[in-house]
Amino acid sequence: MPFRRVLIAGNWKMNMSRAAAADLVAALRAANVAGPELLVCPPAVLIPAVVEAAKGSTLGVGGQDCHANPGGAHTGDIAAEMLADAGAGWVIVGHSERRTDHAETDAVVNAKARAAWRAGLKAVICVGETLAERQAGQTLAVLTRQTSASVPDGANAANTVLAYEPVWAIGSGLTPTNAEIAAAHAHLRAELRKRTGEADGVRLLYGGSVKPSNAAEILAIPDVDGALVGGASLKAADFLGIAAAAPARA
């Protein structure tokens, strides 16, 4: 099996000031984390400041969304090339809040992922079922559809991370059982293998109410290669606590 370094990614969503961001990055740098890779995705207006604060460290910086086009009349949107120009190396696409609040389809997410690659960014592509879909027994069918339609041809370990975030678990304090997470991640790995011979190298993250108290057991589940963290990424102690729970990988 290819080596897959654990990735702990923080999605700050619509939070943080420049001062708070600088303090958080300083705390992450001071911890000098060894083992897992750390990534933070601040609001777009904070990316240059976070990039500057992280300079000289191994901390990755990403955006939370991008437009599919490199430029044009798209008021309020940000091109992947703009994120790269601001110093970002990553971008989240297809987060459930974008799919729900902005009616983003799998086709839109696919186009955004291709835009990320075009700009030289790594794409963190999010998939996950709603509570109604889970209760209807449709979880794996939803993951099949979203993976097939949202992940572009050409996805590999160098340009893509796939994040499983059950919509009903995000910010709710609820998490699927370990068996349910394992089943979802095994299914996602199998779906990726249908698409590319490099599927075993692509990292699969779990997201949805990850915190220091449950991180160790979640990160120990097969095919869980890290976490996409929301609220707990806003506090250095919590984010570092999750990173500290990452298993050592040879």
Side-chain angles (χ1 to χ4, degrees):
M1 183 182 75
F3 172 75
R4 298 192 298 263
R5 186 181 181 191
V6 174
L7 173 64
I8 308 299
N11 177 12
W12 293 0
K13 306 190 180 184
M14 198 170 70
N15 294 292
M16 298 294 243
S17 63
R18 281 186 297 171
D23 289 344
L24 178 52
V25 172
L28 298 181
R29 293 190 62 157
N32 196 26
V33 173
E37 183 176 5
L38 299 186
L39 166 67
V40 294
C41 297
V45 294
L46 296 179
I47 288 174
V50 172
V51 168
E52 180 63 27
K55 188 176 295 183
S57 74
T58 59
L59 182 66
V61 182
Q64 297 177 14
D65 182 51
C66 68
H67 196 278
N69 293 341
H74 305 287
T75 300
D77 281 311
I78 297 172
E81 284 81 1
M82 293 175 175
L83 296 176
D85 186 57
W90 302 71
V91 62
I92 299 168
V93 296
H95 192 279
S96 65
E97 290 159 1
R98 297 291 311 180
R99 291 177 184 264
T100 299
D101 297 347
H102 300 273
E104 291 189 3
T105 63
D106 291 328
V108 168
V109 176
N110 187 299
K112 290 185 174 188
R114 286 185 278 113
W117 299 351
R118 182 188 66 220
L121 303 176
K122 296 177 183 179
V124 179
I125 304 174
C126 299
V127 296
E129 81 283 3
T130 64
L131 181 58
E133 289 167 337
R134 171 166 285 277
Q135 291 174 334
Q138 298 174 346
T139 295
L140 299 187
V142 169
L143 296 183
T144 295
R145 172 183 60 78
Q146 290 184 333
T147 303
S148 175
S150 298
V151 180
D153 292 338
N156 58 45
N159 61 23
T160 299
V161 168
L162 190 60
Y164 169 55
E165 288 201 312
V167 178
W168 53 274
I170 299 172
S172 68
L174 303 173
T175 57
T177 65
N178 290 352
E180 289 169 337
I181 295 173
H185 279 244
H187 186 76
L188 289 173
R189 183 76 64 199
E191 289 300 311
L192 285 175
R193 286 182 182 134
K194 297 176 183 178
R195 307 286 305 283
T196 172
E198 300 184 46
D200 286 349
V202 175
R203 288 180 285 186
L204 304 181
L205 309 185
Y206 171 75
S209 297
V210 180
K211 45 191 177 288
S213 61
N214 64 15
E217 60 179 294
I218 291 173
L219 294 174
I221 297 171
D223 275 314
V224 174
D225 304 310
L228 181 55
V229 185
S233 71
L234 301 176
K235 297 181 179 179
D238 288 347
F239 194 55
L240 290 169
I242 293 169
R249 292 190 173 181

